[in-house]
Amino acid sequence: MSRAGEVLSTIPLSTLSFGTLCVLMYMAQILFNLSLHQYTMNPRGVIFQHEFYRMITSSFCHGSLLHIGMNMMSYMALGKLLERKFGTLFMTFTVVNSIVLSSVIYMLIALATYAFGSEKLMNQHSLGFSGVLFHLLVLESKVRPNTSQSIFGMFHIPAKYYPWFMLVAIQFLMPNISFVGHLSGVLCGTLQSSGHLRYSMPTIKFLRITEESEHLRWVTSFPSFINTPATNDDFVMFTNTLGGGGAQSFTIPMYTFARNSIETVRFIIFGREGEEESAEQGVALNEGEWIVIPSPRIDPAQAELV
């Protein structure tokens, strides 16, 4: 087995699958010269144009080789640790939850700022997996065996504050990144780590029944598939253990719930107005590195950092 094969064999199935999706999407961007504006997270496009697919595709798109490289290295480190501790199915549900919910939180923040007169977040486009990364960083800090985290070897802070420190520190070091994109991920992780997302997660019983299903034998037979572990305090906190609800009993997909929530907030704030088009739009690299990409009516030479 080659060295690359050995490295890939150490990556659990869910982590490897989502990472592969990101890489394939980036390759498609390059090979087919895809327009990022069609796939990025844009609150105005989702809310007013009903382009709900952006809530999903934006997480898998990246703006450069450096962008996806940094994100995937961070994701592999966090994903391997959490998936080995909680299992492949748990990790899959967590990432899906993070992708959808962080987009919803992002749009709610954009709506709130728009209601106070700022259109910046409504018009900008963002992309990248870093919202999910910050979500996972919160969970990793929650289950960290050490109660403190070293900061560049200079001082220590309580582990539970580490994601918030990184949120501020990265913004300070790279002021052009998307603070709101990262904040949405931190808030998602905080909700899950405090047990408030239990009912968007399946029960432990459901996870184990699913693992034993003959229909999924082709998945669970992979050597990199990790079974749901024995119950522990962290697992109880992160999953639905009460037997009611759970992701498997949703009669309305999370997608529909997110859409209806956004439509409701939009109607309360704007009524049936506010359908006007934006003349200028922006794109975020790495849920950050915000760069204005002009609409077709604007000369590309006029693009500038925001």
Side-chain angles (χ1 to χ4, degrees):
M1 181 182 295
S2 66
R3 177 58 180 167
E6 292 178 359
V7 172
L8 290 176
S9 67
T10 66
I11 302 175
L13 184 60
S14 179
T15 300
L16 181 62
S17 298
F18 282 110
T20 300
L21 282 175
C22 288
V23 172
L24 291 177
M25 186 64 188
Y26 183 72
M27 292 174 63
Q29 292 173 217
I30 301 299
L31 294 175
F32 302 107
N33 194 27
L34 299 180
S35 172
L36 289 180
H37 273 99
Q38 301 301 315
Y39 305 99
T40 55
M41 175 63 208
N42 173 241
R44 183 178 293 278
V46 176
I47 297 169
F48 295 135
Q49 304 302 321
H50 303 152
E51 296 170 342
F52 300 108
Y53 67 88
R54 292 180 180 272
M55 299 172 65
I56 307 299
T57 58
S58 59
S59 292
F60 297 102
C61 292
H62 291 81
S64 68
L65 184 60
L66 178 63
H67 178 202
I68 190 172
M70 293 181 64
N71 270 5
M72 290 302 99
M73 285 191 294
S74 299
Y75 175 57
M76 292 301 152
L78 289 169
K80 286 196 295 185
L81 186 152
L82 292 172
E83 188 169 348
R84 287 169 179 166
K85 186 175 182 64
F86 296 116
T88 294
L89 292 183
F90 169 87
M91 188 67 178
T92 300
F93 277 102
T94 294
V95 172
V96 171
N97 251 350
S98 181
I99 290 172
V100 176
L101 185 56
S102 62
S103 294
V104 172
I105 292 176
Y106 188 101
M107 286 185 289
L108 291 177
I109 295 174
L111 281 171
T113 59
Y114 190 49
F116 286 97
S118 173
E119 298 187 17
K120 180 179 179 181
L121 289 179
M122 289 292 292
N123 295 333
Q124 284 180 326
H125 293 231
S126 66
L127 72 165
F129 211 64
S130 50
V132 175
L133 296 181
F134 270 89
H135 181 152
L136 299 182
L137 181 61
V138 174
L139 300 188
E140 189 272 341
S141 298
K142 178 74 174 181
V143 302
R144 187 191 301 274
N146 298 324
T147 58
S148 64
Q149 171 67 38
S150 174
I151 305 299
F152 308 122
M154 296 185 294
F155 59 93
H156 288 75
I157 62 173
K160 62 181 179 180
Y161 298 131
Y162 180 66
W164 295 95
F165 174 87
M166 292 301 297
L167 176 69
V168 175
I170 291 177
Q171 188 69 33
F172 177 78
L173 295 173
M174 295 179 287
N176 288 327
I177 68 170
S178 171
F179 179 80
V180 176
H182 293 166
L183 176 63
S184 298
V186 172
L187 292 176
C188 287
T190 301
L191 286 172
Q192 185 170 6
S193 66
S194 60
H196 291 94
L197 294 186
R198 286 183 182 180
Y199 287 102
S200 66
M201 295 293 291
T203 62
I204 296 176
K205 179 180 179 180
F206 173 78
L207 292 177
R208 292 181 175 144
I209 291 176
T210 302
E211 291 171 349
E212 296 171 359
S213 171
E214 290 296 327
H215 298 295
L216 290 181
R217 185 64 59 188
W218 64 277
V219 175
T220 57
S221 61
F222 275 87
S224 57
F225 184 92
I226 298 179
N227 290 317
T228 300
T231 302
N232 57 59
D233 291 341
D234 293 323
F235 203 54
V236 168
M237 177 63 72
F238 294 160
T239 56
N240 179 7
T241 59
L242 302 180
Q248 74 279 11
S249 64
F250 284 177
T251 57
I252 300 177
M254 187 179 297
Y255 166 86
T256 303
F257 171 77
R259 180 186 64 188
N260 292 340
S261 298
I262 293 167
E263 285 294 312
T264 300
V265 174
R266 173 194 166 193
F267 180 79
I268 292 173
I269 297 177
F270 306 108
R272 298 192 180 278
E273 303 298 327
E275 299 285 346
E276 67 277 4
E277 290 291 333
S278 169
E280 183 180 69
Q281 298 177 334
V283 61
L285 309 183
N286 193 28
E287 292 275 322
E289 301 172 42
W290 288 85
I291 298 177
V292 168
I293 291 183
S295 68
R297 299 191 297 275
I298 299 177
D299 185 349
Q302 298 175 349
E304 62 181 358
L305 292 176
V306 190

